[in-house]
Amino acid sequence: LPGLPADPAQVMTSDDALVMEQLPASILIIGGGVIGVEWASMLIDFGVEVTLVETAARLLPGEDAEVSAELTKQLGKRGVRILTGIQLKLDTYTYKDGQASLEADTGEGKVILAAEKLLVSVGRQANIEGIGLENTDIQLNKDVIRVNGNFQTTEPHIYAVGDVNGGLQLAHAAAHEAMVAVEHLLGNKPSGTAHAQIPRAIYSHPEIASIGLTEEEARRQGHDIKIGKIPFQAIGKALILGEPGGFAKVIADKKTNDIIGVHLVGPHATDLLSEASLALLMDAAPWEVGQVIHPHPTLSEALGEAMLAVDGNATVI
């Protein structure tokens, strides 16, 4: 961020944080997206005093608002100080007596944010320098490599997959893109995957997993929607594990009855999402997934019950 020193001893990126040899007593994390949330969740478990700040109105602004609210509540219970909707004054940054500090404007006035370390978790850029692009006819689009649906660049015998092309910054998304590219260069006709069919996983505690549209996106795109939501508190296995927080949420289109979004926040959410991914791929309706017999007691019952809840047929509540 402009105004902050490029000194990993004081101001770290997530790459710098991965090679820390000693935990700080306190840390200020700038950016409440995926990376910031994951680091905040981990460091609070290690006993670090964590302050997490986000300029948007809520954490994880790209995820469903109810998921964001649940995560904020659970991180707060674990001791993370969370400030959203703030404006950082980067030109006020100082470092003195082992403490980094800067000012911020909040809805309740000016505050001084101070910690032993700063972790900047915003503004990641594609690695496009020093790889020889200047020797090709490859074109860029907003500092990422421009590709078509088969991940060909504007120099057709060269393909670009992963974060470098501006898609979802996820390892499994990059791996899928690579398979599509290989199939295409072998002369086959690969079936690309729409952006909305790529699952998203956040490895915080609680875990978050989602696929498809959020409730806000669905309404903004003109869908007349119906929603099913089941708390993990109603699921026996979650109680057995001692992790009753969170929920499973299913969004469906009233007209087509297709599932258009699934959102999970809670225990092992990332392990549970693949069933929803298959449902979206097959254009399944909630009642169809609801007919699947989920073994009891398992966490997978949350998703099955949420599917039934879309039409008011849940059995657990």
Side-chain angles (χ1 to χ4, degrees), residues 3-297:
L4 295 180
D7 180 3
Q10 303 171 21
V11 181
M12 299 182 294
T13 67
S14 57
D15 292 341
D16 299 324
L18 285 172
V19 295
M20 279 193 295
E21 295 184 359
Q22 183 175 337
L23 288 171
S26 59
I27 193 165
L28 169 63
I29 301 176
I30 300 174
V34 174
I35 295 173
V37 160
E38 289 179 339
W39 276 101
S41 181
M42 181 175 68
L43 290 173
I44 198 71
D45 282 344
F46 289 163
V48 178
E49 182 182 307
V50 178
T51 300
L52 177 60
V53 299
E54 169 59 48
T55 58
R58 59 183 176 88
L59 298 181
L60 300 175
E63 294 296 331
D64 191 87
E66 289 188 304
V67 169
S68 172
E70 179 67 21
L71 177 72
T72 300
K73 180 178 74 174
Q74 293 207 35
L75 285 180
K77 283 183 177 180
R78 290 164 57 206
V80 178
R81 180 191 182 196
I82 299 170
L83 299 173
T84 57
I86 72 168
Q87 296 298 318
L88 296 170
K89 296 183 176 181
L90 299 179
D91 59 350
T92 65
Y93 173 84
T94 60
Y95 187 81
K96 184 178 180 181
D97 298 328
Q99 289 281 300
S101 66
L102 51 80
E103 295 180 9
D105 288 328
T106 72
E108 299 177 354
K110 184 178 74 172
V111 297
I112 305 295
L113 301 173
E116 185 179 327
K117 296 273 190 181
L118 263 63
L119 172 59
V120 178
S121 61
V122 297
R124 292 187 72 86
Q125 297 175 326
N127 288 325
I128 57 175
E129 295 86 8
I131 60 173
L133 294 185
E134 66 279 3
N135 300 319
T136 72
D137 292 325
I138 292 175
Q139 295 179 8
L140 302 180
N141 180 25
K142 296 181 180 179
D143 296 324
V144 296
I145 296 175
R146 180 179 164 189
V147 295
N148 63 16
N150 296 312
F151 304 104
Q152 283 177 294
T153 68
T154 45
E155 190 151 334
H157 68 286
I158 300 177
Y159 293 71
V161 303
D163 300 358
V164 74
N165 67 27
L168 282 178
Q169 295 182 9
L170 299 167
H172 52 270
H176 177 76
E177 292 174 5
M179 288 187 281
V180 171
V182 169
E183 287 292 317
H184 186 264
L185 68 86
L186 290 174
N188 300 325
K189 295 182 179 179
S191 56
T193 300
H195 187 280
Q197 290 183 326
I198 299 175
R200 306 183 296 277
I202 301 174
Y203 298 97
S204 54
H205 183 206
E207 288 188 354
I208 294 169
S210 57
I211 190 167
L213 302 177
T214 66
E215 182 178 342
E216 304 96 312
E217 289 170 336
R219 295 187 190 281
R220 191 165 58 244
Q221 292 183 20
H223 292 279
D224 187 11
I225 62 175
K226 52 184 179 177
I227 294 172
K229 184 179 173 184
I230 293 292
F232 275 104
Q233 192 171 18
I235 304 302
K237 187 60 176 287
L239 300 179
I240 292 168
L241 294 173
E243 297 190 53
F247 56 83
K249 178 177 180 179
V250 176
I251 304 167
D253 186 286
K254 284 185 179 179
K255 182 178 179 180
T256 65
N257 210 31
D258 287 337
I259 300 165
I260 57 175
V262 177
H263 306 272
L264 297 156
V265 52
H268 297 279
T270 59
D271 298 316
L272 300 174
L273 189 66
S274 291
E275 183 179 357
S277 300
L278 179 61
L280 261 71
L281 181 66
M282 304 299 291
D283 290 326
W287 72 266
E288 292 175 309
V289 181
Q291 295 305 302
V292 174
I293 299 173
H294 294 81
H296 174 80

